[in-house]
């Protein structure tokens, strides 16, 4: 009869390159790996990737090259300021910059403002705002209580870091 050989997959190789940076690098992954986390790269970088399987008989042909841009969660809002008028506060801030590159940039989906009253003045809370908001007015505050605020922005990848806090 005919002899049949069975080859067991031993690893995958992933080649990742940056079109605006150093030459591509190849990483070896175990045969059971189902995803690969790309190395850290700045937002907007153009990356290329391709894969191949390797076993005792050798390496397969490389897959077709794919290209994409690095997208990230948004940075922290900045310029946080608070003004107080009677029993109301207005929190103002500036939105973070792009979370990608040009037409590959992700829109801001929303913002979250954390509100932390001083000791004995109530429980901390948060308020969600649309992605284009730059102010929040809070009324019915407890008189003579300090409040601290911080805000963060979100896109389809998730929330970015909180801003520096501001108190009033």
């Amino acid at each position: 009869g005919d002899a049949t050989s069975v080859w067991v997959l031993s690893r995958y190789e992933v080649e990742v390159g940056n079109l605006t940076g150093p030459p591509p690098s190849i990483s070896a992954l175990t045969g059971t790996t189902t995803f690969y986390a790309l190395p850290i790269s700045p937002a907007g970088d153009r990356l290329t990737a391709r894969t191949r399987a390797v076993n005792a008989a050798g390496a397969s042909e490389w897959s077709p090259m794919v290209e994409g841009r690095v997208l990230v969660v948004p940075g922290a809002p900045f310029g946080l300021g608070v003004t107080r008028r009677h029993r109301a506060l207005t929190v103002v801030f500036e939105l973070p910059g792009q979370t990608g590159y040009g037409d590959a940039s992700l829109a801001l989906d929303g913002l979250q403002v954390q509100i932390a009253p001083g000791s004995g003045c109530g429980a901390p809370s948060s308020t969600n705002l649309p992605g284009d908001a730059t102010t929040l007015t809070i009324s019915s505050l407890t008189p003579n209580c300090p409040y601290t605020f911080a805000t963060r922005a979100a896109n389809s990848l998730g929330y970015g870091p909180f801003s520096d806090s501001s108190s009033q």
Side-chain angles (χ1 to χ4, degrees), residues 23-155:
S25 63
I26 297 175
S27 298
L29 308 171
T30 66
T32 58
T33 301
T34 58
F35 72 93
Y36 176 69
L38 293 171
I40 302 285
S41 191
D45 273 6
R46 293 175 51 203
L47 299 181
T48 60
R50 61 185 184 165
T51 62
R52 68 180 176 186
V54 179
N55 64 21
S60 69
E61 295 294 318
W62 285 104
S63 68
M65 184 75 69
V66 294
E67 181 181 324
R69 292 203 185 263
V70 176
L71 300 174
V72 296
V73 296
F78 59 97
L80 189 64
V82 181
T83 56
R84 188 173 197 145
R85 286 199 168 66
H86 305 291
R87 295 184 69 187
L89 287 173
T90 300
V91 181
V92 297
F93 48 88
E94 294 186 43
L95 300 176
Q98 288 187 333
T99 59
Y101 181 80
D103 59 356
S105 184
L106 298 174
L108 295 180
D109 293 332
L111 297 143
Q112 183 182 59
V113 178
Q114 268 190 342
I115 306 160
S119 179
C121 294
S125 63
S126 65
T127 298
N128 294 319
L129 302 172
D132 60 351
T134 58
T135 64
L136 169 66
T137 299
I138 306 163
S139 57
S140 301
L141 297 173
T142 304
N144 302 317
C145 282
Y147 289 85
T148 301
F149 302 89
T151 187
R152 64 182 179 168
N155 61 21

